[in-house]
Amino acid sequence: MSNVDQLIARALGITEDRVTDTLAYQSIREWDSLGHVSLLVAIEQEYGVEIDDELTLGLRSVAAVRAFAAAPATRAGRGDAGVPATAPGQPDGPAVHRGLENVVFDQTAVTHIDGAQGVLEYRGYSIHDLAEHSSFEEVAHLLVHGELPDAAALESFGKQLRAARVLPEPVLGLLRSLTRAHPMEALRTCVSALGAFGPQRPPGTDESYAEALETGVSLIARIPMIVAAHHALRTGREPVQPPQDASHAEAFLTVLLGERPTPAAVRFIDKGFIVHADHSSNASAFTARVAIGCRAGMTAAITAAVAAFAGSVHGGAAERVVGLIDEVGSVENAPAHVAALQARGEPVMGFGHRVYRTEDPRVRHLRSTVVELSEERGDTSGLDILDAVATAMRPYGRHGVAPNVDLYAGLAYRLLGLPDDLAVPLFVVGRTPGWVAQALEQQSNNVLIRPLLTYVGPHGRTYRKAYDR
């Protein structure tokens, strides 16, 4: 076993016998995006080089890393001599893009992301302008209807949301039966149940665009009420009715907390909802598109998106980030904690993103509100720990493992006195307009999404009865 093979095995946390030319990025669980960064850092340390973005994209297979290690010109810093772009594939089959990586399946006018430059725009508007100057209601209107509303349109849209806040009594009854369930389980179940109380269509007819739009707006209003009512019921409180003049964020917090929230809390929630509102073709949005592309309807699409979002490598990661503060314990422990996780090949939660090669542009806005909440409550210990972890992670930032949107959000929820298991449902409340907008876009120019699989199993096997096997 060569030194470079040992380095690969050590960085990925796998046995050396698994290091073969056919092993590539995303071909095994251990070689995920964070594992890839650990490998790049190990290569830099071993060979005394600085790997740039171009070379990062080239070193995505064992074959490429072996060629790199054997090529002095490449190790000197530039050039692609001897570095194949991908692992050897099957000569008689199509290229396989695991996880549909870098596969463009359609066009969109909803959200633009430039991962290299850290740009995020909703329908052409910078997330920085929207987070600093807009409101959730304006952003939801922008995503769903395509334009920022004028005063009259904003008032009309606000009335629609306020009118839709009331949950059907059977759904409230269902929530009462789910007080011991995880909030995401209760949310998924009750979003699905809302489908029974929407517009009724003749059998065999598909949902129209107008019906999907009406349902989508009602879901934007009702999903936060489901989350808030479930939390009230599981803590022994009856859900209160929010004031009629309350904004979306204030109404949500009033039901969630059982009292009028502070202005700082409303500002955080409103800004958090804005920066979470959409993120192009992430896994849950893609799931929503697949569902509505099958003509399953808006409620089914959003239910599917909620189910996908709950997964631990998608939205579910937000809940795990909150525990980082407890694991580190103090500012002084941050460097050692990061080093220990990297040595074990484990990710540091709250860092890295599949898209961004630089800091997630949403992070600065969440951190600023966390600073305000921390100062309001006279406790900056959690913020100090997260900042110390971010400092310890800087060597990995060059390879895209910078703070992501989850890092500071969970701390803010703690500062509001909320349990950790609400981190993911609160993310869903903000993300709903994006799901609705993308589902509407899919429906407006629909095509059934049906990718292929390359079969690699056996052929021509002979069936034998059970007693002959």
Side-chain angles (χ1 to χ4, degrees):
M1 179 67 64
S2 68
N3 288 340
V4 67
D5 289 358
Q6 292 171 357
L7 180 147
I8 294 170
R10 185 169 62 251
L12 297 180
I14 61 177
T15 57
E16 294 180 6
D17 62 288
R18 297 175 66 188
V19 180
T20 65
D21 268 351
T22 58
L23 190 67
Y25 174 63
Q26 297 286 6
S27 66
I28 58 172
R29 178 182 60 81
E30 293 88 349
W31 200 340
D32 58 7
S33 56
L34 294 177
H36 189 58
V37 171
S38 296
L39 176 59
L40 295 178
V41 171
I43 292 170
E44 288 182 328
Q45 294 171 347
E46 178 70 18
Y47 296 104
V49 297
E50 185 173 300
I51 297 174
D52 60 16
D53 286 348
E54 181 181 351
L55 199 49
T56 294
L57 295 175
L59 297 175
R60 294 161 71 89
S61 69
V62 168
V65 175
R66 285 172 172 169
F68 170 81
T74 305
R75 290 206 304 271
R78 301 299 300 176
D80 58 0
V83 182
T86 59
Q90 293 184 355
D92 58 343
V96 175
H97 302 271
R98 297 198 73 238
L100 301 182
E101 186 185 22
N102 294 325
V103 173
V104 178
F105 73 92
D106 212 334
Q107 297 177 317
T108 184
V110 178
T111 295
H112 167 66
I113 298 173
D114 183 334
Q117 300 299 319
V119 172
L120 173 61
E121 295 177 335
Y122 298 159
R123 297 197 184 274
Y125 292 94
S126 167
I127 190 63
H128 302 309
D129 288 341
L130 295 173
E132 292 300 328
H133 306 298
S134 188
S135 67
F136 174 80
E137 287 87 341
E138 281 193 311
V139 169
H141 186 283
L142 170 67
L143 289 170
V144 172
H145 290 288
E147 297 292 344
L148 285 170
D150 59 19
L154 182 60
E155 175 60 26
S156 176
F157 189 65
K159 284 182 179 179
Q160 279 184 277
L161 293 175
R162 290 192 292 273
R165 282 177 189 161
V166 179
L167 295 175
E169 191 57 42
V171 174
L172 276 174
L174 183 57
L175 280 171
R176 295 181 195 280
S177 72
L178 295 171
T179 54
R180 300 181 70 176
H182 188 284
M184 283 298 289
E185 299 283 352
L187 178 60
R188 186 200 65 234
T189 302
C190 289
V191 170
S192 179
L194 286 174
F197 302 96
Q200 299 301 304
R201 298 183 301 279
T205 60
D206 291 333
E207 183 179 64
S208 69
Y209 185 91
E211 290 170 333
L213 174 59
E214 179 184 354
T215 299
V217 172
S218 73
L219 287 169
I220 293 171
R222 287 177 168 179
I223 281 177
M225 294 300 103
I226 291 173
V227 173
H230 179 258
H231 181 63
L233 290 167
R234 69 173 179 160
T235 54
R237 294 184 286 110
E238 280 297 308
V240 300
Q241 288 299 316
Q244 269 299 108
D245 61 346
S247 68
H248 190 80
E250 185 180 4
F252 171 66
L253 280 176
T254 299
V255 181
L256 189 73
L257 303 173
E259 59 187 16
R260 292 296 286 264
T262 68
V266 174
R267 279 193 295 274
F268 165 73
I269 289 296
D270 192 64
K271 187 174 289 189
F273 287 169
I274 289 171
V275 301
H276 286 123
D278 193 52
H279 211 244
S280 194
S281 183
N282 54 82
S284 52
F286 183 73
T287 302
R289 282 180 175 268
V290 171
I292 206 163
C294 294
R295 298 295 190 193
M298 181 62 75
T299 301
I302 303 306
T303 302
V306 172
F309 196 78
S312 63
V313 296
H314 191 14
E319 186 174 331
R320 297 170 63 189
V321 171
V322 187
L324 181 66
I325 298 171
D326 303 325
E327 294 168 8
V328 176
S330 69
V331 169
E332 295 74 21
N333 289 342
H337 183 77
V338 168
L341 287 176
Q342 294 296 338
R344 296 196 299 267
E346 297 177 13
V348 180
M349 303 309 299
F351 291 83
H353 197 279
R354 186 78 175 264
V355 174
Y356 294 112
R357 298 288 304 156
T358 183
E359 182 177 276
D360 186 327
R362 301 168 291 181
V363 170
R364 71 173 73 168
H365 303 289
L366 292 184
R367 187 184 180 281
S368 69
T369 53
V370 168
V371 169
E372 184 178 1
L373 286 171
S374 298
E375 292 174 348
E376 180 183 80
R377 284 152 177 76
D379 180 8
T380 64
S381 59
L383 176 63
D384 294 339
I385 289 173
L386 292 182
D387 283 346
V389 174
T391 298
M393 285 292 291
R394 278 179 186 160
Y396 298 88
R398 288 193 305 102
H399 300 300
V401 186
N404 64 34
V405 72
D406 296 326
L407 183 61
Y408 293 99
L411 172 58
Y413 303 146
R414 278 195 176 182
L415 291 168
L416 292 173
L418 301 175
D420 295 350
D421 63 5
L422 279 177
V424 187
L426 266 68
F427 203 139
V428 168
V429 174
R431 180 54 56 85
T432 305
W435 287 338
V436 171
Q438 292 206 44
L440 289 171
E441 185 177 63
Q442 180 69 35
Q443 180 168 335
S444 68
N445 187 27
N446 190 44
V447 61
L448 182 68
I449 300 172
R450 207 304 190 179
L452 303 174
L453 290 170
T454 293
Y455 180 73
V456 295
H459 295 278
R461 303 176 77 180
T462 301
Y463 174 82
R464 293 184 178 84
K465 294 186 180 296
Y467 51 79
D468 290 330
R469 293 175 200 156

XYZ file of all heavy atoms in Angstrom, residues 70-160:
666
model
N 1.869 11.597 -7.991
C 2.995 11.153 -8.816
C 3.466 12.208 -9.802
O 4.427 11.974 -10.539
C 2.595 9.891 -9.584
N 2.797 13.375 -9.847
C 3.095 14.381 -10.873
C 3.718 15.610 -10.240
O 3.005 16.443 -9.692
C 1.814 14.762 -11.617
N 5.028 15.767 -10.289
C 5.692 16.925 -9.680
C 5.160 18.255 -10.214
O 5.022 19.214 -9.467
C 7.162 16.731 -10.052
C 7.298 15.268 -10.306
C 6.008 14.831 -10.891
N 4.861 18.330 -11.506
C 4.378 19.592 -12.068
C 3.067 20.008 -11.426
O 2.827 21.182 -11.147
C 4.204 19.458 -13.585
N 2.189 19.033 -11.184
C 0.903 19.332 -10.562
C 1.104 19.743 -9.113
O 0.483 20.677 -8.620
C -0.021 18.104 -10.637
O -0.129 17.714 -11.986
C -1.393 18.434 -10.080
N 1.980 19.034 -8.413
C 2.218 19.359 -7.007
C 2.805 20.749 -6.851
O 2.679 21.380 -5.820
C 3.158 18.334 -6.370
C 2.519 16.964 -6.183
C 3.182 16.234 -5.036
N 4.621 16.113 -5.224
C 5.207 15.105 -5.868
N 4.470 14.154 -6.432
N 6.507 15.050 -5.986
N 3.453 21.245 -7.899
C 4.031 22.579 -7.811
C 2.963 23.664 -7.745
O 3.245 24.793 -7.382
C 4.934 22.834 -9.009
N 1.754 23.337 -8.123
C 0.675 24.297 -7.920
C -0.316 24.406 -9.049
O -1.463 24.684 -8.812
N 0.080 24.244 -10.312
C -0.853 24.418 -11.413
C -0.757 23.257 -12.379
O 0.133 22.421 -12.296
C -0.556 25.698 -12.195
C -0.623 26.960 -11.369
C -1.994 27.167 -10.774
N -3.008 27.265 -11.807
C -4.303 27.371 -11.537
N -4.731 27.369 -10.305
N -5.156 27.460 -12.514
N -1.661 23.245 -13.314
C -1.622 22.233 -14.361
C -2.433 21.019 -13.997
O -2.715 20.758 -12.838
N -2.831 20.240 -15.006
C -3.643 19.057 -14.766
C -2.960 17.808 -15.290
O -3.597 16.804 -15.580
C -5.027 19.213 -15.411
C -4.945 19.449 -16.914
O -3.817 19.490 -17.433
O -6.013 19.580 -17.539
N -1.626 17.870 -15.398
C -0.903 16.730 -15.964
C -1.173 15.464 -15.180
O -0.915 15.391 -13.994
C 0.599 17.032 -15.968
N -1.713 14.491 -15.843
C -1.895 13.192 -15.205
C -3.065 13.109 -14.266
O -3.254 12.094 -13.617
N -3.887 14.150 -14.146
C -4.996 14.134 -13.203
C -6.305 13.942 -13.958
O -6.826 14.876 -14.568
C -5.055 15.442 -12.381
C -6.184 15.375 -11.367
C -3.730 15.666 -11.678
N -6.863 12.741 -13.945
C -8.147 12.539 -14.617
C -9.258 13.241 -13.865
O -9.218 13.357 -12.646
C -8.320 11.010 -14.583
C -7.492 10.553 -13.425
C -6.338 11.504 -13.328
N -10.246 13.735 -14.590
C -11.310 14.502 -13.944
C -12.208 13.623 -13.095
O -12.731 14.061 -12.085
C -12.152 15.215 -15.009
N -12.415 12.411 -13.490
C -13.312 11.533 -12.756
C -12.716 10.146 -12.683
O -11.760 9.810 -13.366
C -14.694 11.437 -13.446
O -14.510 10.950 -14.773
C -15.369 12.803 -13.507
N -13.328 9.331 -11.833
C -12.884 7.948 -11.732
C -13.257 7.193 -12.995
O -14.190 7.559 -13.709
C -13.540 7.289 -10.516
N -12.511 6.128 -13.301
C -12.881 5.326 -14.469
C -14.319 4.823 -14.353
O -14.744 4.383 -13.293
C -11.877 4.166 -14.414
C -10.733 4.667 -13.594
C -11.331 5.609 -12.598
N -15.068 4.921 -15.450
C -16.439 4.457 -15.407
C -16.620 3.194 -16.230
O -15.669 2.624 -16.737
N -17.841 2.754 -16.350
C -18.121 1.572 -17.154
C -18.079 1.972 -18.631
O -18.814 2.860 -19.060
C -19.498 1.020 -16.802
C -19.559 0.474 -15.383
C -20.905 -0.159 -15.105
O -21.809 -0.109 -15.916
N -21.014 -0.783 -13.964
N -17.228 1.359 -19.431
C -17.089 1.783 -20.826
C -18.347 1.587 -21.653
O -18.532 2.266 -22.649
C -15.943 0.906 -21.341
C -15.913 -0.284 -20.432
C -16.335 0.222 -19.093
N -19.216 0.666 -21.242
C -20.396 0.381 -22.050
C -21.663 0.999 -21.475
O -22.762 0.660 -21.903
C -20.580 -1.137 -22.177
C -20.713 -1.812 -20.813
O -20.352 -1.172 -19.802
O -21.162 -2.972 -20.773
N -21.526 1.895 -20.526
C -22.711 2.479 -19.906
C -22.624 3.997 -19.862
O -21.572 4.585 -20.094
N -23.745 4.665 -19.569
C -23.751 6.128 -19.488
C -23.021 6.607 -18.232
O -22.834 5.848 -17.284
C -25.249 6.460 -19.414
C -25.860 5.244 -18.776
C -25.066 4.075 -19.284
N -22.619 7.859 -18.237
C -21.996 8.450 -17.051
C -23.013 8.476 -15.918
O -24.198 8.751 -16.127
C -21.511 9.858 -17.366
N -22.549 8.174 -14.722
C -23.408 8.166 -13.538
C -23.087 9.385 -12.690
O -21.930 9.613 -12.323
C -23.202 6.877 -12.713
C -24.015 6.938 -11.420
C -23.579 5.655 -13.531
N -24.092 10.178 -12.401
C -23.931 11.354 -11.558
C -24.654 11.077 -10.241
O -25.837 11.377 -10.099
C -24.516 12.593 -12.246
C -23.895 12.888 -13.577
N -22.782 13.676 -13.719
C -24.226 12.475 -14.828
C -22.455 13.760 -14.992
N -23.318 13.031 -15.688
N -23.921 10.502 -9.298
C -24.562 10.108 -8.040
C -25.097 11.344 -7.322
O -24.448 12.369 -7.228
C -23.577 9.370 -7.134
C -23.096 8.053 -7.746
C -22.492 7.143 -6.684
N -23.504 6.564 -5.817
C -23.532 6.718 -4.500
N -22.638 7.447 -3.898
N -24.453 6.134 -3.779
N -26.334 11.197 -6.816
C -26.987 12.328 -6.183
C -27.395 13.411 -7.169
O -27.757 14.520 -6.778
N -27.349 13.096 -8.465
C -27.650 14.058 -9.537
C -26.747 15.277 -9.462
O -27.129 16.378 -9.889
C -29.124 14.483 -9.507
C -30.154 13.369 -9.660
C -31.557 13.934 -9.668
C -29.903 12.574 -10.936
N -25.543 15.105 -8.929
C -24.624 16.232 -8.788
C -24.302 16.830 -10.153
O -23.985 16.127 -11.110
C -23.329 15.789 -8.099
C -22.408 16.963 -7.796
C -21.090 16.525 -7.225
O -20.700 15.368 -7.435
O -20.446 17.348 -6.570
N -24.395 18.174 -10.217
C -24.097 18.949 -11.422
C -25.020 18.632 -12.599
O -24.714 18.990 -13.734
C -22.640 18.749 -11.855
C -21.664 19.323 -10.848
O -21.940 20.343 -10.228
N -20.536 18.660 -10.669
N -26.141 17.972 -12.331
C -27.138 17.726 -13.372
C -28.179 18.850 -13.325
O -28.812 19.073 -12.296
C -27.830 16.364 -13.179
C -28.979 16.206 -14.172
C -26.834 15.234 -13.326
N -28.330 19.580 -14.417
C -29.326 20.648 -14.503
C -30.595 20.050 -15.111
O -30.601 19.635 -16.262
C -28.818 21.820 -15.371
C -29.887 22.908 -15.491
C -27.531 22.391 -14.785
N -31.668 19.981 -14.326
C -32.857 19.279 -14.806
C -33.935 20.213 -15.338
O -34.901 19.764 -15.965
C -33.446 18.379 -13.704
C -34.150 19.117 -12.592
C -35.510 19.350 -12.653
C -33.448 19.574 -11.489
C -36.165 20.027 -11.643
C -34.083 20.240 -10.464
C -35.448 20.477 -10.541
N -33.796 21.541 -15.119
C -34.809 22.465 -15.629
C -34.305 23.893 -15.454
O -33.213 24.124 -14.926
C -36.142 22.278 -14.906
C -37.343 22.571 -15.791
O -37.196 23.362 -16.756
O -38.425 22.019 -15.540
N -35.124 24.849 -15.869
C -34.838 26.266 -15.685
C -35.732 26.827 -14.594
O -36.808 26.293 -14.326
C -35.074 27.027 -16.995
C -34.167 26.601 -18.133
C -34.476 27.320 -19.423
O -35.640 27.491 -19.785
N -33.431 27.743 -20.127
N -35.296 27.919 -13.954
C -36.097 28.541 -12.903
C -35.933 30.046 -12.931
O -34.869 30.556 -13.321
C -35.705 28.008 -11.508
O -36.574 28.581 -10.517
C -34.255 28.370 -11.168
N -36.982 30.749 -12.528
C -36.923 32.199 -12.358
C -37.141 32.567 -10.897
O -37.379 33.735 -10.580
C -37.978 32.871 -13.237
N -37.052 31.587 -10.001
C -37.343 31.827 -8.582
C -36.106 32.299 -7.825
O -36.086 33.390 -7.263
C -37.938 30.572 -7.921
C -38.201 30.821 -6.425
C -39.237 30.155 -8.609
N -35.070 31.481 -7.792
C -33.905 31.789 -6.956
C -32.615 31.538 -7.707
O -32.477 30.515 -8.384
C -33.929 30.934 -5.669
O -35.066 31.315 -4.894
C -32.680 31.144 -4.830
N -31.678 32.477 -7.554
C -30.351 32.367 -8.169
C -29.296 32.221 -7.078
O -29.294 32.979 -6.108
C -30.043 33.604 -9.009
C -28.600 33.702 -9.422
N -28.008 32.804 -10.282
C -27.617 34.584 -9.070
C -26.736 33.134 -10.458
N -26.472 34.201 -9.730
N -28.397 31.248 -7.242
C -27.291 31.051 -6.325
C -25.992 31.012 -7.120
O -25.895 30.319 -8.129
C -27.439 29.724 -5.536
C -28.708 29.731 -4.685
C -26.214 29.479 -4.649
C -28.994 28.401 -4.017
N -25.004 31.761 -6.664
C -23.636 31.658 -7.175
C -22.792 31.205 -5.993
O -22.412 32.007 -5.141
C -23.156 33.009 -7.710
C -21.752 32.932 -8.322
O -20.974 32.045 -7.927
O -21.441 33.779 -9.173
N -22.536 29.902 -5.944
C -21.849 29.338 -4.799
C -20.422 29.812 -4.655
O -19.911 29.940 -3.541
N -19.768 30.096 -5.777
C -18.375 30.539 -5.722
C -18.260 31.936 -5.133
O -17.314 32.233 -4.394
C -17.762 30.496 -7.114
N -19.227 32.807 -5.442
C -19.182 34.189 -4.976
C -20.034 34.421 -3.736
O -20.022 35.539 -3.184
C -19.653 35.125 -6.097
C -18.809 35.049 -7.365
C -17.367 35.423 -7.122
O -17.073 36.362 -6.397
N -16.443 34.662 -7.727
N -20.777 33.411 -3.297
C -21.628 33.587 -2.118
C -22.818 34.487 -2.377
O -23.188 35.308 -1.524
N -23.432 34.342 -3.550
C -24.574 35.174 -3.943
C -25.864 34.382 -3.816
O -25.942 33.233 -4.252
C -24.411 35.674 -5.399
C -25.680 36.371 -5.884
C -23.210 36.607 -5.507
N -26.878 35.006 -3.221
C -28.215 34.422 -3.141
C -29.218 35.523 -3.481
O -29.227 36.587 -2.854
C -28.491 33.875 -1.743
C -29.921 33.375 -1.459
C -30.297 32.223 -2.382
C -30.072 32.970 0.008
N -30.050 35.277 -4.502
C -31.053 36.239 -4.925
C -32.408 35.554 -5.056
O -32.497 34.454 -5.596
C -30.694 36.850 -6.287
C -29.433 37.698 -6.290
C -29.086 38.207 -7.674
O -29.501 37.558 -8.676
O -28.409 39.246 -7.761
N -33.449 36.221 -4.570
C -34.822 35.784 -4.822
C -35.383 36.642 -5.949
O -35.519 37.858 -5.811
C -35.710 35.973 -3.599
C -35.324 35.198 -2.362
C -35.775 35.624 -1.104
C -34.535 34.050 -2.419
C -35.454 34.924 0.045
C -34.209 33.355 -1.268
C -34.665 33.796 -0.031
O -34.332 33.111 1.113
N -35.647 36.024 -7.085
C -36.198 36.704 -8.260
C -35.424 37.999 -8.569
O -36.013 39.030 -8.902
C -37.689 36.984 -8.079
C -38.521 35.693 -7.956
C -39.981 35.938 -8.181
N -40.801 34.751 -7.983
C -41.047 33.816 -8.921
N -40.501 33.934 -10.125
N -41.829 32.779 -8.654
N -34.101 37.936 -8.441
C -33.242 39.051 -8.806
C -32.877 39.977 -7.677
O -32.007 40.841 -7.842
N -33.509 39.838 -6.509
C -33.220 40.717 -5.371
C -32.218 40.049 -4.431
O -32.393 38.886 -4.036
C -34.501 41.041 -4.596
C -35.475 41.918 -5.355
C -36.515 41.349 -6.097
C -35.361 43.303 -5.338
C -37.416 42.140 -6.803
C -36.262 44.107 -6.030
C -37.284 43.517 -6.763
O -38.165 44.311 -7.463
N -31.187 40.798 -4.035
C -30.169 40.270 -3.132
C -30.754 39.914 -1.783
O -31.571 40.661 -1.221
C -29.054 41.305 -2.949
O -28.210 40.943 -1.865
N -30.322 38.793 -1.234
C -30.782 38.384 0.098
C -30.393 39.421 1.131
O -31.091 39.614 2.137
C -30.207 36.994 0.476
C -30.872 36.458 1.752
C -28.691 37.055 0.654
C -32.348 36.221 1.628
N -29.297 40.154 0.891
C -28.863 41.168 1.854
C -29.858 42.332 1.905
O -30.219 42.799 2.992
C -27.463 41.665 1.495
C -26.439 40.569 1.456
N -26.262 39.679 2.492
C -25.556 40.203 0.493
C -25.303 38.820 2.180
N -24.868 39.111 0.973
N -30.323 42.782 0.749
C -31.317 43.858 0.723
C -32.629 43.401 1.348
O -33.258 44.136 2.129
C -31.575 44.324 -0.709
C -30.409 45.102 -1.283
O -29.570 45.592 -0.504
O -30.322 45.203 -2.524
N -33.055 42.195 1.012
C -34.325 41.694 1.526
C -34.269 41.483 3.033
O -35.206 41.837 3.760
C -34.695 40.395 0.813
C -34.990 40.516 -0.686
C -35.183 39.141 -1.312
C -36.219 41.398 -0.938
N -33.167 40.897 3.521
C -33.052 40.624 4.956
C -32.996 41.907 5.772
O -33.518 41.969 6.892
C -31.819 39.767 5.230
N -32.384 42.946 5.230
C -32.221 44.184 5.979
C -33.413 45.132 5.858
O -33.673 45.912 6.777
C -30.946 44.900 5.516
C -29.661 44.177 5.874
C -29.489 43.991 7.375
O -29.951 44.872 8.150
O -28.912 42.968 7.789
N -34.141 45.084 4.754
C -35.136 46.128 4.500
C -36.558 45.608 4.280
O -37.503 46.402 4.327
C -34.718 46.953 3.277
C -33.340 47.517 3.378
N -32.965 48.408 4.355
C -32.223 47.302 2.624
C -31.682 48.726 4.210
N -31.217 48.060 3.168
N -36.721 44.311 4.024
C -38.033 43.800 3.660
C -38.713 43.134 4.856
O -38.226 43.192 5.985
C -37.884 42.806 2.503
O -39.149 42.434 2.003
N -39.843 42.514 4.601
C -40.561 41.726 5.613
C -40.874 40.358 5.025
O -40.818 40.159 3.808
C -41.873 42.420 6.003
O -42.787 42.413 4.907
N -41.218 39.413 5.901
C -41.537 38.080 5.412
C -42.704 38.118 4.441
O -42.697 37.429 3.414
C -41.861 37.141 6.574
C -42.346 35.797 6.115
C -41.445 34.829 5.688
C -43.698 35.491 6.074
C -41.876 33.589 5.239
C -44.139 34.251 5.632
C -43.228 33.299 5.222
N -43.730 38.918 4.760
C -44.892 38.981 3.880
C -44.499 39.454 2.482
O -44.983 38.915 1.481
C -45.957 39.921 4.473
C -46.689 39.343 5.679
C -45.998 39.605 7.002
O -44.775 39.918 6.991
O -46.653 39.485 8.043
N -43.636 40.465 2.396
C -43.180 40.949 1.097
C -42.420 39.864 0.337
O -42.620 39.666 -0.864
C -42.270 42.160 1.277
C -42.983 43.463 1.547
C -42.038 44.640 1.402
O -40.939 44.604 1.978
O -42.415 45.596 0.703
N -41.531 39.158 1.054
C -40.717 38.131 0.407
C -41.584 36.961 -0.042
O -41.382 36.400 -1.127
C -39.593 37.670 1.354
C -38.894 36.425 0.815
C -38.586 38.793 1.556
N -42.547 36.561 0.783
C -43.449 35.478 0.384
C -44.230 35.867 -0.874
O -44.398 35.054 -1.795
C -44.407 35.143 1.529
N -44.706 37.107 -0.926
C -45.415 37.586 -2.118
C -44.492 37.571 -3.319
O -44.874 37.156 -4.426
C -45.941 38.997 -1.873
C -46.811 39.538 -2.976
N -46.300 40.013 -4.176
C -48.170 39.663 -3.071
C -47.293 40.404 -4.939
N -48.441 40.212 -4.302
N -43.251 38.031 -3.136
C -42.268 38.038 -4.218
C -42.056 36.638 -4.774
O -42.062 36.437 -6.004
C -40.946 38.597 -3.689
C -39.720 38.472 -4.609
C -39.887 39.344 -5.847
C -38.452 38.846 -3.844
N -41.871 35.661 -3.909
C -41.609 34.300 -4.362
C -42.824 33.687 -5.047
O -42.707 33.074 -6.110
C -41.178 33.432 -3.179
C -39.785 33.719 -2.614
C -39.573 32.974 -1.294
C -38.699 33.329 -3.604
N -43.988 33.870 -4.459
C -45.194 33.205 -4.971
C -45.760 33.906 -6.207
O -46.178 33.252 -7.169
C -46.259 33.122 -3.856
C -47.592 32.625 -4.420
C -45.784 32.208 -2.733
N -45.750 35.246 -6.193
C -46.378 35.995 -7.285
C -45.375 36.565 -8.284
O -45.777 37.069 -9.338
C -47.237 37.125 -6.720
C -48.474 36.643 -6.011
N -49.552 36.120 -6.683
C -48.784 36.594 -4.686
C -50.499 35.781 -5.805
N -50.052 36.062 -4.596
N -44.089 36.544 -7.942
C -43.079 36.960 -8.908
C -42.586 38.378 -8.775
O -41.571 38.726 -9.379
N -43.274 39.217 -8.013
C -42.877 40.613 -7.851
C -43.093 41.052 -6.407
O -43.962 40.526 -5.700
C -43.691 41.535 -8.775
C -43.490 41.296 -10.262
C -42.095 41.684 -10.745
O -41.383 42.407 -10.013
O -41.728 41.271 -11.867
N -42.298 42.055 -5.981
C -42.562 42.684 -4.695
C -43.892 43.428 -4.769
O -44.185 44.073 -5.778
C -41.440 43.648 -4.329
C -40.127 43.015 -3.851
C -39.039 44.074 -3.751
C -40.318 42.308 -2.508
N -44.698 43.358 -3.723
C -46.022 43.995 -3.786
C -45.958 45.497 -3.526
O -45.093 45.973 -2.797
C -46.775 43.286 -2.652
C -45.698 42.974 -1.641
C -44.471 42.638 -2.457
N -46.888 46.241 -4.137
C -47.063 47.634 -3.724
C -47.915 47.626 -2.449
O -48.261 46.554 -1.923
C -47.696 48.465 -4.834
C -49.062 47.948 -5.281
O -49.712 47.180 -4.528
O -49.486 48.296 -6.413
N -48.233 48.807 -1.931
C -48.922 48.882 -0.643
C -50.265 48.146 -0.668
O -50.614 47.411 0.272
C -49.112 50.340 -0.240
N -51.009 48.319 -1.746
C -52.333 47.687 -1.833
C -52.211 46.169 -1.930
O -52.947 45.428 -1.268
C -53.096 48.235 -3.032
N -51.274 45.701 -2.758
C -51.087 44.256 -2.906
C -50.575 43.636 -1.613
O -50.969 42.518 -1.252
C -50.119 43.969 -4.052
N -49.716 44.360 -0.886
C -49.202 43.843 0.377
C -50.316 43.715 1.407
O -50.390 42.721 2.137
C -48.097 44.760 0.907
C -47.418 44.325 2.209
C -46.762 42.956 2.050
C -46.387 45.360 2.649
N -51.196 44.701 1.449
C -52.319 44.640 2.381
C -53.248 43.481 2.024
O -53.714 42.741 2.899
C -53.094 45.952 2.358
C -54.351 45.963 3.212
C -54.088 45.694 4.695
O -52.978 45.982 5.167
O -55.014 45.191 5.372
N -53.513 43.284 0.738
C -54.369 42.185 0.297
C -53.749 40.835 0.633
O -54.448 39.923 1.116
C -54.608 42.298 -1.206
O -55.351 41.198 -1.686
N -52.447 40.709 0.392
C -51.768 39.443 0.687
C -51.767 39.184 2.181
O -51.979 38.039 2.627
C -50.337 39.501 0.144
C -49.603 38.193 0.195
C -50.017 37.103 -0.564
C -48.486 38.044 0.999
C -49.330 35.894 -0.526
C -47.787 36.839 1.053
C -48.214 35.762 0.284
N -51.544 40.218 2.982
C -51.587 40.067 4.429
C -52.949 39.599 4.915
O -53.049 38.761 5.825
N -54.011 40.118 4.308
C -55.365 39.688 4.671
C -55.579 38.218 4.339
O -56.217 37.478 5.107
C -56.401 40.545 3.947
C -56.567 41.938 4.526
C -57.652 42.705 3.776
C -57.851 44.098 4.369
N -58.891 44.867 3.648
N -55.054 37.792 3.193
C -55.153 36.371 2.834
C -54.488 35.491 3.881
O -55.046 34.464 4.298
C -54.482 36.122 1.482
C -55.289 36.449 0.263
C -54.533 36.046 -0.990
O -53.684 36.794 -1.478
N -54.821 34.868 -1.494
